[in-house]
């Protein structure tokens, strides 16, 4: 079985923290690959704040080019909206029976996990890796059997901050990979 991490998100836009975190998780969790699943519509977020799906995917593809084990995916583009992770995981498992899928989420998402559609079914059928987030305390002793906290560096950077800086005419250099810097600014004008 190919151990594949599923890192879902809006990636609105992808930033250096996403990539650095995935590199760490790839090694620390013993995964073969991590798929960045670009979500066309997160049921817990307003879609009006989203850059065009294909532009977000394009930025992820460019940013991950040459990154060993990290892959961009438009898999959810072909699933019904909104994008429920349970449905994504079930569909992936059916389409790729030679892969063992593990969900990757931040501690903030774990805190709100009971709001996720089918959250208990995800816990029952899939491994979940949680990475730390500033201000979120996870009690490792209380985690279900297939859920684990992976200690990684904290990255104090957010896509929201990047969008706000662009709107304010401030620099985002160092926040996104250099190869997508100009496109990110162009797409958010």
């Amino acid at each position: 079985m190919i151990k594949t991490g599923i890192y879902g998100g809006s990636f609105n836009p992808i930033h250096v923290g996403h990539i650095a975190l995935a590199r760490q998780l790839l090694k620390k969790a013993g995964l073969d690959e991590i798929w960045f699943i670009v979500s066309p519509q997160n049921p817990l977020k307003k879609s009006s704040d989203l850059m065009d799906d294909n532009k977000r995917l394009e930025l992820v593809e460019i940013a991950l080019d040459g990154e060993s084990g990290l892959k961009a995916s438009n898999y959810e583009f072909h699933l019904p909206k909104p994008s429920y992770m349970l449905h994504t995981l079930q569909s992936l498992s059916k389409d790729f029976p030679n892969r063992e899928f593990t969900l990757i989420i931040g501690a903030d998402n774990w805190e709100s996990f009971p709001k996720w559609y089918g959250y208990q079914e995800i816990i029952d059928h899939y491994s979940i890796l949680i990475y730390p987030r500033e201000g979120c305390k996870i009690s490792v002793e209380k985690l279900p059997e297939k859920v684990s906290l992976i200690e990684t560096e904290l990255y104090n950077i957010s896509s929201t901050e990047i969008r706000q800086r662009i709107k304010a005419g401030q620099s985002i250099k160092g926040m996104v990979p250099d190869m997508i810097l100009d496109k990110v600014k162009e797409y958010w004008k």
Side-chain angles (χ1 to χ4, degrees):
M1 293 291 256
I2 302 167
K3 295 184 176 182
T4 308
I6 297 302
Y7 189 6
S10 302
F11 303 111
N12 191 36
I14 188 170
H15 55 67
V16 295
H18 292 131
I19 298 167
L21 175 70
R23 284 186 198 129
Q24 284 188 62
L25 290 170
L26 196 63
K27 289 178 188 162
K28 291 185 176 200
L31 298 169
D32 297 307
E33 290 183 343
I34 293 179
W35 292 359
F36 284 61
I37 305 281
V38 179
S39 178
Q41 185 184 347
N42 178 328
L44 300 177
K45 290 185 179 179
K46 291 187 296 184
S47 60
S48 62
D49 295 341
L50 286 179
M51 182 190 307
D52 174 77
D53 296 347
N54 290 307
K55 287 180 178 177
R56 287 183 293 120
L57 176 65
E58 175 192 6
L59 293 172
V60 173
E61 288 172 339
I62 295 168
L64 297 182
D65 186 41
E67 289 284 345
S68 181
L70 306 183
K71 313 280 183 208
S73 173
N74 67 351
Y75 192 83
E76 284 191 345
F77 289 19
H78 312 290
L79 296 177
K81 292 180 185 179
S83 304
Y84 292 113
M85 185 50 73
L86 173 62
H87 295 157
T88 301
L89 289 166
Q90 289 171 330
S91 186
L92 283 165
S93 295
K94 183 175 156 232
D95 289 349
F96 300 94
N98 64 330
R99 291 183 180 267
E100 178 185 312
F101 292 102
T102 297
L103 178 61
I104 297 169
I105 61 173
D108 54 335
N109 277 315
W110 179 250
E111 288 178 344
S112 65
F113 205 63
K115 293 180 182 175
W116 287 35
Y117 175 83
Y119 78 95
Q120 189 59 55
E121 203 167 339
I122 295 172
I123 291 170
D124 292 344
H125 294 96
Y126 297 93
S127 295
I128 302 173
L129 295 178
I130 304 170
Y131 57 88
R133 292 296 295 257
E134 186 96 23
C136 299
K137 299 286 183 228
I138 301 293
S139 175
V140 177
E141 302 78 33
K142 294 182 181 177
L143 293 176
E145 186 181 335
K146 294 192 295 185
V147 179
S148 50
L149 178 68
I150 303 290
E151 288 300 329
T152 62
E153 288 182 45
L154 289 173
Y155 297 96
N156 193 15
I157 184 172
S158 75
S159 298
T160 302
E161 180 187 359
I162 291 168
R163 294 192 306 271
Q164 289 169 345
R165 290 180 69 87
I166 291 169
K167 287 178 187 170
Q170 298 172 327
S171 174
I172 58 167
K173 183 137 180 72
M175 298 177 83
V176 299
D178 287 343
M179 71 277 277
I180 64 169
L181 182 63
D182 291 338
K183 280 189 182 290
V184 170
K185 290 191 287 192
E186 174 191 332
Y187 291 167
W188 272 105
K189 282 185 179 175

